Amino acid sequence: MTSIPMSDYYFRQYELDGVDFPAGRKGRILSAICHGDNPTRKKIATDMALRPATVSDLVLELIRDGLVIESRPTQALQKGRPEILLSPASNRLCAVVFHAVSHTIHCAVVDFSGRIHFEAKEQVHADRIDKHGFTDVIERLSAQSRPHIPKAAEHCGFALSLPGIVDEPGKRWVYSAYWPKLPDFDLNILSDILRSQVIVRKNLNCELRARISRHARIRNKKTLLIHWGIGIGAAFASNGKELDFGDGFGEIGHCVLDPESTAHCKCGMIGCMEAEAGLWALATQSENQPIPIDEHKFEEFLKMCSDKSFLKRPILLMAHTLRNLTLTLMPDEIVLTGPFVQSPDTFQLLLDEFEQILPERSLVSKGRRPAVVSSRRSKSDEIIGAASDLFRPAIGLLCGNKSNQPHES
């Protein structure tokens, strides 16, 4: 069976149509094929209470559209002529996703099934690269990726998954502490340069969306994703849908927890939590021991480091942040990623501190405490989450929703 990640997101657009409405039938049948275990026409007709002839006609359209392929079972399960099995054509749709990791800009060609056909990267100086230099890197990586898009695939466009404050509808990269020379970066210019549709997304929103799609148990819950690394950011989803209250939502690293703090943040303010607990700040301010600013190197550094006293205040600040977010958003689960929480003892110190400042016995938290778990950032989640807003409208058009325009917000 070909697994289609994010299929619940793609086919949500057909839920209101219902099986009895002709406008939604084709999409609902494709959804059944993507969710089922190689179903047959007969099974789809039975499950959806549709006439077999209707199902056959629509399946034929899907095959002609290149969205569905037919196959015979390798072993007959019953006597007589075996029924034809149906499965999604995973490489019918492809997209190119750009994302940033420390000092490296990555590029990936990904198809509808989440399979990555090609990857390339280019190392840059994030603290020195300007807008022209960034655009040049994107153009070079795009040129490398194009030959690797399957010939039978529809190229749906390019997606940029970016850290910091991202204006998704306006396609502007407003601010990222690690990329100081790219403030208020209007990325609309890339559509002309790449001669294709370009969308811009916040990286944590992309990752959280795909994570929820993978874990059915949290689709109807409230989930808070926090990345604690070079910077500190968050994404939040309720009932399977990420919530974004504005361009700066999720920039929790720029909240002030100690009004007496004199730490200067790269954002221009004083007292930001990130200016004391972010990896960039710890690496800059370190005097007793050199701390690497690269997240992967810092994770290895923590494993070898015997004196972790420098983490006392960052852990305290992060624990208070978890408390404030718990009382504000009341999440069912908090997922922490980043190099700090990959160290089991550091993660446990954070949990212990969180328990002290928001104890189970408190009247406010009693019975409403979230599960707090550590996890690794998922590159594949970020990539498919970014590409999903290119695939969804393409599916809508191929399945007959001619009014479905590319999702730009």
Side-chain angles (χ1 to χ4, degrees), residues 5 56 98 141 175 256 262 279 335 374 387 404:
S56 292
F98 302 99
L141 290 174
Y175 168 77
V256 174
T262 59
L279 177 53
V335 181
S374 66
N404 190 336

Side-chain angles (χ1 to χ4, degrees), residues 90-103:
S90 60
N91 64 350
R92 174 62 174 85
L93 303 173
C94 271
V96 178
V97 177
F98 302 99
H99 60 108
V101 180
S102 294
H103 282 275

Side-chain angles (χ1 to χ4, degrees), residues 136-203:
D136 285 346
V137 172
I138 295 296
E139 192 170 10
R140 285 195 294 270
L141 290 174
S142 168
Q144 293 179 47
S145 70
R146 286 182 187 271
H148 299 275
I149 297 173
K151 292 182 179 179
E154 175 184 339
H155 178 210
C156 299
F158 297 88
L160 276 76
S161 176
L162 302 171
I165 302 175
V166 179
D167 173 8
E168 295 186 351
K171 300 182 185 179
R172 302 182 80 89
W173 194 3
V174 180
Y175 168 77
S176 175
Y178 201 53
W179 303 80
K181 294 196 173 182
L182 303 177
D184 198 25
F185 192 177
D186 185 352
L187 294 165
N188 283 282
I189 59 172
L190 289 177
S191 294
D192 293 331
I193 293 172
L194 302 179
R195 300 182 301 281
S196 181
Q197 179 186 194
V198 175
I199 62 173
V200 179
R201 296 292 181 260
K202 181 178 173 68
N203 58 355

Side-chain angles (χ1 to χ4, degrees), residues 43-97:
K43 186 176 189 311
I44 292 172
T46 300
D47 291 347
M48 296 180 64
L50 292 173
R51 293 173 59 246
T54 299
V55 172
S56 292
D57 289 344
L58 292 174
V59 166
L60 183 58
E61 287 185 27
L62 289 168
I63 292 171
R64 288 172 178 168
D65 291 335
L67 287 167
V68 170
I69 56 177
E70 297 178 299
S71 63
R72 293 187 181 275
T74 54
Q75 184 176 359
L77 300 179
Q78 57 186 21
K79 292 183 179 180
R81 186 176 180 180
E83 289 194 77
I84 302 297
L85 303 179
L86 303 171
S87 59
S90 60
N91 64 350
R92 174 62 174 85
L93 303 173
C94 271
V96 178
V97 177

Side-chain angles (χ1 to χ4, degrees), residues 78-365:
Q78 57 186 21
K79 292 183 179 180
R81 186 176 180 180
E83 289 194 77
I84 302 297
L85 303 179
L86 303 171
S87 59
S90 60
N91 64 350
R92 174 62 174 85
L93 303 173
C94 271
V96 178
V97 177
F98 302 99
H99 60 108
V101 180
S102 294
H103 282 275
T104 309
I105 300 174
H106 293 248
C107 172
V109 176
V110 61
D111 69 21
F112 183 41
S113 71
R115 176 189 170 196
I116 295 176
H117 292 254
F118 172 77
E119 287 186 280
K121 61 184 179 180
E122 186 167 331
Q123 195 153 4
V124 299
H125 292 285
D127 55 343
R128 283 186 273 173
I129 192 169
D130 59 14
K131 295 176 181 179
H132 182 74
F134 184 88
T135 303
D136 285 346
V137 172
I138 295 296
E139 192 170 10
R140 285 195 294 270
L141 290 174
S142 168
Q144 293 179 47
S145 70
R146 286 182 187 271
H148 299 275
I149 297 173
K151 292 182 179 179
E154 175 184 339
H155 178 210
C156 299
F158 297 88
L160 276 76
S161 176
L162 302 171
I165 302 175
V166 179
D167 173 8
E168 295 186 351
K171 300 182 185 179
R172 302 182 80 89
W173 194 3
V174 180
Y175 168 77
S176 175
Y178 201 53
W179 303 80
K181 294 196 173 182
L182 303 177
D184 198 25
F185 192 177
D186 185 352
L187 294 165
N188 283 282
I189 59 172
L190 289 177
S191 294
D192 293 331
I193 293 172
L194 302 179
R195 300 182 301 281
S196 181
Q197 179 186 194
V198 175
I199 62 173
V200 179
R201 296 292 181 260
K202 181 178 173 68
N203 58 355
L204 291 181
N205 287 347
C206 296
E207 185 177 348
L208 179 57
R209 178 188 295 174
R211 181 183 184 88
I212 290 171
S213 181
R214 281 194 301 107
H215 298 284
R217 64 179 178 81
I218 61 175
R219 285 181 195 164
N220 297 318
K221 295 184 177 181
K222 291 184 289 185
T223 306
L224 177 64
L225 173 67
I226 298 176
H227 181 71
W228 182 14
I230 290 172
I232 304 170
F236 180 68
S238 179
N239 295 320
K241 297 179 181 179
E242 64 265 24
L243 301 182
D244 191 342
F245 301 105
D247 300 343
F249 177 75
E251 287 302 290
I252 60 174
H254 299 287
C255 294
V256 174
L257 297 174
D258 179 4
E260 301 297 322
S261 173
T262 59
H264 287 261
C265 185
K266 289 187 176 184
C267 74
M269 296 191 292
I270 296 175
C272 294
M273 183 185 72
E274 188 174 294
E276 296 191 72
L279 177 53
W280 68 262
L282 295 179
T284 301
Q285 299 162 5
S286 174
E287 295 180 356
N288 299 327
Q289 54 185 333
I291 296 177
I293 196 170
D294 179 271
E295 291 191 1
H296 297 295
K297 292 179 181 178
F298 179 68
E299 182 180 332
E300 294 302 313
F301 168 81
L302 275 186
K303 290 179 182 178
M304 305 298 294
C305 181
S306 57
D307 181 11
K308 298 182 181 178
S309 58
F310 69 96
L311 290 176
K312 183 176 181 180
R313 183 162 174 82
I315 287 173
L316 176 65
L317 293 174
M318 180 56 74
H320 277 276
T321 296
L322 296 183
R323 166 179 161 162
N324 292 342
L325 290 172
T326 295
L327 298 178
T328 303
L329 300 172
M330 283 298 173
D332 298 299
E333 181 172 279
I334 298 177
V335 181
L336 286 160
T337 66
F340 292 89
V341 296
Q342 301 312 314
S343 166
D345 53 344
T346 302
F347 180 61
Q348 188 58 52
L349 288 172
L350 176 62
L351 292 181
D352 293 343
E353 194 68 48
F354 180 52
E355 170 60 29
Q356 286 190 38
I357 63 175
L358 189 64
E360 182 69 41
R361 66 181 180 277
S362 70
L363 296 177
V364 174
S365 67

